């Protein structure tokens, strides 16, 4: 087993449900534009995902729940543990590495120190959906993401094609009208597809009524990971 396969196997043994490797060389200009020279030389991103329980996510379509918040935190904790273990494994092998902590924000704005969605889409875990979340074939956007950047010479995976098509479920369900209904285009800034202020204001409103900033309807409604295979192809 080569180093890439060994790492993917370990990451899954540690609790991840999906794992892939992103080639970051092609996104070098974008990464420099966003983060300066902080991650120079780290040409691979090991991207991994931990599934959220589907039925727990389904419930937030109706109303916010503390169960969703609880598993959001559990998944983020697991992501951080896997990231630290992988970072230390790579360090002991003599490689440079940087574990990106799970982003803590409930909403589509990625507040991690490096975009997990960028790494996950380049690593072929899924594509960036109209909701701006990473959407996988397996569970749609019902997962949390982790990333470890490294200079280890890992084999990269191929990105996946956008699977949103004409679907507008997340756009239509969004109570804040934050999702503009446009397919992801790497050349466009996030603001073209998503109004962060609207989502943020809705989450703040929810804190006043529910006590916590929570929504997740755009995640719960996504047809991927929800319907049978045959029904996914109608979009
Ligand atoms: S559905 Fe909720 S979480 Fe998703 S973008 Fe709209 S307000 Fe934000
Ligand atoms: S609900 Fe539809 S448009 Fe939105 S992310 Fe999922 S597949 Fe894409």
């Amino acid at each position: 087993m080569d180093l890439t396969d060994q790492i993917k196997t370990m990451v899954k043994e540690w609790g991840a449900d999906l794992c892939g490797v992103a080639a970051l060389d092609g996104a070098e200009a974008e990464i420099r534009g966003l983060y300066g020279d902080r991650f120079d030389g780290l040409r691979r991103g090991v991207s991994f995902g931990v599934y959220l329980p589907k039925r727990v996510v389904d419930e937030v379509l109706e109303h916010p729940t503390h169960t969703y918040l609880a598993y959001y935190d559990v998944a983020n904790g697991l992501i951080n543990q896997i990231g630290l273990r992988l970072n230390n494994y790579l360090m002991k092998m003599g490689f440079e590495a940087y574990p990106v902590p799970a982003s803590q924000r409930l909403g589509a704005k990625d507040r991690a120190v490096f975009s997990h969605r960028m790494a996950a889409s380049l690593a072929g875990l899924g594509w960036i959906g109209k909701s701006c979340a990473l959407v996988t074939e397996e569970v749609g956007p019902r997962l949390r993401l982790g990333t470890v950047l490294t200079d280890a010479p890992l084999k990269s995976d191929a990105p996946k094609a956008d699977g949103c098509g004409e679907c507008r479920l997340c756009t239509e369900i969004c109570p804040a009208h934050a999702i503009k209904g446009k397919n992801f285009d790497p050349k466009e800034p996030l603001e073209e597809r998503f109004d962060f202020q609207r989502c943020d204001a809705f989450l703040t409103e929810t804190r006043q009524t529910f006590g916590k900033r929570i929504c997740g309807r755009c995640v719960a409604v996504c047809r991927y990971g929800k319907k049978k295979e045959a029904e996914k192809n109608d979009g």
Side-chain angles (χ1 to χ4, degrees):
M1 199 187 287
D2 70 9
L3 180 63
T4 308
D5 292 336
Q6 199 184 323
I7 281 175
K8 286 179 177 176
T9 303
M10 279 187 330
V11 164
K12 287 188 175 172
E13 281 171 3
W14 292 337
D17 297 297
L18 293 175
C19 183
V21 176
L24 302 175
D25 325 57
E28 210 170 11
E30 189 183 352
I31 293 169
R32 272 209 152 211
L34 288 167
Y35 311 112
D37 59 6
R38 186 175 181 186
F39 302 120
D40 276 9
L42 305 179
R43 299 169 67 237
R44 293 287 180 268
V46 180
S47 171
F48 47 93
V50 170
Y51 294 167
L52 292 167
K54 179 182 165 294
R55 291 185 69 148
V56 169
V57 178
D58 283 350
E59 288 179 343
V60 300
L61 261 187
E62 305 302 323
H63 50 76
T65 74
H66 288 284
T67 321
Y68 180 65
L69 286 170
Y71 282 105
Y72 197 92
D73 287 344
V74 171
N76 279 351
L78 181 53
I79 291 276
N80 288 338
Q81 283 188 24
I82 296 169
L84 180 62
R85 289 180 76 168
L86 177 58
N87 178 81
N88 293 358
Y89 180 83
L90 289 163
M91 251 171 42
K92 282 185 264 184
M93 290 194 74
F95 298 114
E96 289 289 327
Y98 191 102
V100 182
S103 49
Q104 295 293 333
R105 186 84 175 211
L106 283 173
K109 184 101 168 179
D110 199 331
R111 291 296 174 97
V113 295
F114 186 92
S115 169
H116 292 295
R117 280 171 299 175
M118 182 200 295
S121 60
L122 291 172
L125 262 58
W127 63 93
I128 298 176
K130 287 181 185 171
S131 61
C132 295
L134 192 277
V135 183
T136 66
E137 291 274 355
E138 294 84 354
V139 294
R142 297 169 195 80
L143 79 170
R144 302 293 304 147
L145 295 170
T147 312
V148 175
L149 307 174
T150 182
D151 66 355
L154 305 177
K155 280 182 305 188
S156 59
D157 293 291
K160 282 208 170 74
D162 186 322
C164 285
E166 299 304 313
C167 175
R168 288 182 53 84
L169 288 174
C170 55
T171 307
E172 283 160 13
I173 197 109
C174 176
H177 306 290
I179 301 168
K180 300 183 181 178
K182 292 182 78 176
N183 292 80
F184 175 71
D185 178 348
K187 295 186 289 301
E188 282 181 351
L190 182 129
E191 294 71 32
E192 288 291 317
R193 289 169 281 120
F194 188 79
D195 188 328
F196 176 71
Q197 273 77 25
R198 282 174 178 255
C199 174
D200 196 55
F202 183 78
L203 297 180
T204 302
E205 242 176 68
T206 314
R207 181 163 54 198
Q208 278 149 22
T209 52
F210 180 72
K212 298 278 183 190
R213 289 168 57 83
I214 168 176
C215 175
R217 286 182 223 188
C218 51
V219 173
V221 79
C222 186
R223 65 200 175 120
Y224 281 92
K226 189 167 200 180
K227 294 183 176 180
K228 293 188 190 76
E229 203 59 42
E231 294 170 289
K232 283 179 196 164
N233 300 323
D234 61 359

